[in-house]
């Protein structure tokens, strides 16, 4: 079996933004692709299942449905994430807990559930979508940056646990990516951000998707515990 043929992928939050681009790219490359979505649908050619990643039972049910329809999940992309930005002094416990429960806790639930099948198959690719701010830091994002840097410790610990079983775990750390979220920022703010990026431009969701599909491929089989930046140089040195 070649790298893509027949492999089953699950992408969380695949109905829009970066997750949707990742799911679409996997479809193009010939994988069998499922996405979780709380609303809407994944791109053409994907199976959409409902799940809120903060709910372990919902995650379990989503996996059961994917397994029944497509087979065991061999590649999992933990992409679902949220922000609730505010300065520390104004950050409520809920602002902190809900971001950590989604970005870090959601990755834990999804990857734990996926690992069962991967162990049996002695093959797996775990890809966690972090952010440049996880290691760079960002004022107003204590909750978000903490949840994203924690994914590095997660990936490196899991690499030590499962590395000998044919399972790789890596982190992709996007910088500023053109999405609905960034498009809403005032042009002056966007220009300010662009000045700080060595590449002089925002990235595209397609560029994140290209790094993710490469990590899932057989070519990346000896890469694990890595943090792959897709940030135009914004975070270098971290
Ligand atoms: P987005 O808001 O467009 O998409 C996020 C997706 O996650 C949506 O499908 C949403 O429904 C899903 N999601 C959120 N909470 C969920 C929950 N509790 N259960 C299930 N699904 C849930 O955002 P995006 O820009 O496409 O971001 C995708 C990932 O990339 C996120 O993890 C984000 O932190 C990360 N990221 C984005 C950027 C950027 O510039 N856009 C930069 C760095 C990292």
């Amino acid at each position: 079996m070649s790298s893509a043929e027949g492999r089953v992928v699950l992408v969380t939050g695949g109905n829009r933004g970066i997750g949707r681009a990742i799911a679409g790219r996997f479809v193009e490359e010939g994988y069998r692709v499922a996405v979780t979505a709380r609303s809407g649908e994944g791109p053409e050619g994907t199976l959409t299942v409902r799940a809120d990643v903060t709910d372990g039972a919902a995650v379990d049910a989503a996996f059961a449905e994917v397994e029944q329809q497509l087979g065991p999940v061999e590649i999992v992309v933990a992409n679902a994430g949220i922000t609730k930005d505010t300065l520390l002094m104004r950050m409520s416990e809920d602002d902190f807990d809900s971001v950590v429960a989604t970005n870090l806790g959601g990755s834990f639930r999804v990857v734990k559930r996926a690992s069962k099948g991967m162990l049996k198959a002695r093959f797996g690719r775990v890809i966690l979508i972090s952010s440049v701010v996880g290691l760079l830091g960002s004022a107003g994002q204590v909750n978000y940056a903490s949840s994203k840097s924690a994914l590095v410790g997660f990936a490196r610990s899991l690499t030590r646990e499962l590395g000998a079983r044919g399972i790789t775990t890596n982190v992709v750390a996007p910088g500023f990516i053109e999405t609905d979220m960034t498009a809403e920022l005032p042009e002056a703010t966007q220009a300010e951000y662009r000045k700080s990026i060595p590449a002089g431009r925002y990235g595209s969701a397609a560029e994140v998707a290209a790094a993710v599909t490469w990590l899932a491929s057989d070519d990346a089989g000896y890469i694990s515990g890595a943090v792959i930046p897709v940030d135009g140089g914004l975070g270098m040195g971290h």
Side-chain angles (χ1 to χ4, degrees), residues 13 15-18 38 51-53 79-80 129-130 144 148 174-175 177:
N15 57 312
R16 65 175 205 220
I18 293 172
R38 289 177 304 174
D52 185 320
V53 297
N79 163 78
I129 307 300
S130 176
Y144 181 75
K148 292 299 190 180
I177 304 301

Side-chain angles (χ1 to χ4, degrees), residues 12-20 36-39 51-55 78-83 101-103 129-133 144 148 172-182 208:
T12 63
N15 57 312
R16 65 175 205 220
I18 293 172
R20 187 179 179 88
T36 73
R38 289 177 304 174
S39 62
D52 185 320
V53 297
T54 62
D55 177 348
N79 163 78
I82 57 167
T83 52
T102 304
N103 300 359
I129 307 300
S130 176
S131 165
V132 65
V133 306
Y144 181 75
K148 292 299 190 180
V172 171
F176 287 115
I177 304 301
E178 268 168 20
T179 58
D180 295 348
M181 207 198 293
T182 44
V208 179

Side-chain angles (χ1 to χ4, degrees), residues 114-191:
S115 68
K116 283 188 202 171
M118 291 177 178
L119 278 165
K120 236 185 248 166
R122 296 188 76 82
F123 175 88
R125 293 280 193 271
V126 176
I127 300 156
L128 308 174
I129 307 300
S130 176
S131 165
V132 65
V133 306
L135 296 178
L136 198 58
S138 169
Q141 294 196 303
V142 159
N143 49 1
Y144 181 75
S146 304
S147 71
K148 292 299 190 180
S149 61
L151 296 176
V152 178
F154 187 124
R156 291 183 171 167
S157 301
L158 197 62
T159 289
R160 293 192 190 281
E161 278 188 35
L162 303 183
R165 314 282 189 92
I167 299 167
T168 67
T169 308
N170 290 290
V171 170
V172 171
F176 287 115
I177 304 301
E178 268 168 20
T179 58
D180 295 348
M181 207 198 293
T182 44
E184 276 169 22
L185 295 170
E187 183 45 47
T189 313
Q190 293 198 35

Side-chain angles (χ1 to χ4, degrees), residues 41-67:
E41 299 286 320
E44 206 181 328
T46 60
L47 167 71
T48 302
V49 293
R50 297 279 163 231
D52 185 320
V53 297
T54 62
D55 177 348
V59 167
D60 191 40
F63 268 84
E65 192 179 338
V66 174
E67 285 162 354

